[in-house]
Amino acid sequence: MPDIIITNKSGHNQEFEVHGWNHSLSIVVKPHSTSKIHAADKSSGAIIAVHDGHEGEQAEITFNGFGGNDFIDISNIVGAGGNITIQQEGDPSTRKGDPLFMQNFRNAWHKASPERKASLRSNVFLDGHGQVSRIGPIKDHPELEKFVRSFADGKTYIGVGAWGGSPGNLHDNQQSAAAHGTKNAQITYSDEDATPSHPPHLAHRVGVEKLVVQARVVPASHGNQAHEHNENHDSGSGVRVSNRSSKEQAYFFYDNYWNGNGTAGANFDHPLRSLRLAPHATAFVALPNTFKGRVQRGTRLPATWVEFQLNASNDHAAHGDISLEQGYDGAALIHATDGSGRVNGFSHDILPNAPRAAVTKRADGVEVLASTMGNWMAGPNKAAAEYELKTVGQAKAYIKGGTGTEDVASKNQRLAVEFF
């Protein structure tokens, strides 16, 4: 039985009409709070934000539809007064909606000519300060549809789509693309940015969207020894990555969205670099010395994180550690490369002997150990935490946050990481 999880990031109560679930009774989600609605398998409906008694932006959902997939989208055809997004829980790649729809509308309105504003005025409503507070139904106003497409085309349903014999708009129709199987639906509302927030505990240790730079597959050398780059050829700051497994693997580097004094905003959806390595191959990945974040196998969670920064403010050295807080999908070691011999982590696979209560199946079908701290997909897994504290220990990897994990520092702003 799937759930619909609705988070209100705004500072006020927000009313939502519920169609198809909850006996079609509206709900009010309190400021900075989350509500949950239970839904039947193969059910369909909509969650519609209400502004001053008028319907606005809406999330439309079909659970376990054609091919066993969910179908989710955001529609503004009946109006808007806030920002809303939807995604399958834990899968940002399925996200739909413009998280800054109203800000983008207000910016476009501000730049519009007096003649353009006059043509739209019957469906654009202003507050006491002359700012746009909401808009009426787009579906009934061709000029308004054209105006909204100037900034939101391809992000949300704007027209009516393919319906009643009409082919609709291609970009609207694409909003109906299938998601990945069937999962809980995660809806986020905000007057500001409706991008889902990350769990508070991930603002720890070590906002521009970045392009993934895909490196070539690096082959292994002949013989039994893994190919190692000469340290003199690893110019500049960065990380030497070694694939110690028997399979080709992809590794992704995530730079934090922001960094504070002992805190950070973890990045889950916009990797800065990626690398594919053949079995037993090694390659150096150059990174800006401002990098503070992590490298992990693939892009999915749960996964083992190797957290690091390359130019700490106190000593300008690189520092890193291993973290199992967001799960375990294999062992890892982190080394200094400045000749100090510092190393931490572990190289033995702890999955085979793990209790079943600690194991979960990831979205790609791979069995892994669950998160010890919890995230938007699930709460903390006590069995995983207890098992990892016993078999790995907090000195070798962060398991329950706090302190006690040995830091690896490298004065030359370069580190080496081995994934097993």
Side-chain angles (χ1 to χ4, degrees), residues 34-371:
T34 297
S35 294
K36 184 180 293 186
I37 297 173
H38 298 297
D41 191 33
K42 297 185 179 297
S43 61
S44 297
I47 307 295
I48 307 175
V50 178
H51 306 281
D52 300 323
H54 299 273
E55 291 182 335
E57 58 281 2
Q58 61 182 295
E60 301 172 319
I61 309 167
T62 294
F63 288 110
N64 195 9
F66 180 77
N69 297 308
D70 295 337
F71 291 81
I72 56 177
D73 64 72
I74 297 297
S75 172
N76 290 101
I77 64 174
V78 300
N83 303 319
I84 196 169
T85 59
I86 186 171
Q87 66 180 57
Q88 288 185 312
E89 189 179 22
D91 191 349
S93 70
T94 64
R95 189 175 302 156
K96 304 283 185 66
D98 182 351
L100 296 171
F101 181 91
M102 288 303 297
Q103 284 83 348
N104 292 332
F105 189 99
R106 293 180 185 116
N107 289 337
W109 178 261
H110 178 72
K111 297 174 183 178
S113 67
E115 295 76 17
R116 190 72 181 277
K117 289 180 179 178
S119 71
L120 302 173
R121 190 65 183 84
S122 64
N123 255 28
V124 177
F125 302 89
L126 309 181
D127 62 19
H129 302 286
Q131 296 294 318
V132 177
S133 60
R134 69 177 183 87
I135 62 174
I138 298 173
K139 63 185 179 67
D140 298 332
H141 200 307
E143 281 298 312
L144 183 59
E145 178 179 338
K146 182 178 179 181
F147 184 74
V148 171
R149 288 198 187 281
S150 69
F151 62 85
D153 195 35
K155 299 178 182 178
T156 175
Y157 261 111
I158 300 170
V160 295
W163 187 262
S166 169
N169 178 278
L170 174 62
H171 292 164
D172 287 350
N173 295 338
Q174 289 172 344
Q175 299 305 305
S176 296
H180 305 151
T182 185
K183 303 176 186 176
N184 292 340
Q186 180 181 3
I187 296 172
T188 303
Y189 173 88
S190 180
D191 295 329
E192 303 297 332
D193 187 343
T195 302
S197 297
H198 301 308
H201 76 271
L202 292 177
H204 74 305
R205 298 192 301 274
V206 179
V208 177
E209 182 171 311
K210 298 190 171 62
L211 176 69
V212 178
V213 179
Q214 180 68 52
R216 65 185 176 89
V217 176
V218 179
S221 61
H222 296 292
N224 295 325
Q225 297 297 317
H227 172 61
E228 296 287 352
H229 281 254
N230 185 310
E231 186 65 33
N232 294 327
H233 293 166
D234 296 349
S235 59
S237 58
V239 176
R240 192 172 71 239
V241 182
S242 297
N243 176 11
R244 301 304 188 200
S245 77
S246 59
K247 298 179 181 179
E248 181 182 299
Q249 299 280 0
Y251 304 97
F252 289 77
F253 290 79
Y254 291 85
D255 203 4
N256 291 335
Y257 279 125
W258 54 266
N259 296 282
N261 184 14
T263 63
N267 172 359
F268 290 88
D269 42 17
H270 296 300
L272 175 64
R273 296 280 190 274
S274 69
L275 172 74
R276 297 189 71 88
L277 288 177
H280 309 297
T282 295
F284 182 77
V285 178
L287 295 166
N289 70 359
T290 55
F291 185 96
K292 294 183 180 181
R294 72 181 186 280
V295 57
Q296 67 174 74
R297 296 176 189 82
T299 60
R300 298 183 183 275
L301 293 179
T304 305
W305 285 11
V306 180
E307 305 173 312
F308 65 94
Q309 59 178 315
L310 295 174
N311 184 14
S313 59
N314 60 338
D315 61 2
H316 302 292
H319 292 260
D321 59 70
I322 308 299
S323 174
L324 305 182
E325 293 169 311
Q326 284 305 304
Y328 166 88
D329 66 348
L333 287 169
I334 185 167
H335 303 256
T337 65
D338 60 359
S340 64
R342 296 184 185 94
V343 60
N344 199 17
F346 60 106
S347 58
H348 57 287
D349 185 9
I350 62 173
L351 181 64
N353 296 321
R356 295 309 300 174
V359 178
T360 186
K361 183 170 287 188
R362 205 164 54 188
D364 57 359
V366 175
E367 286 198 339
V368 295
L369 297 186
S371 169

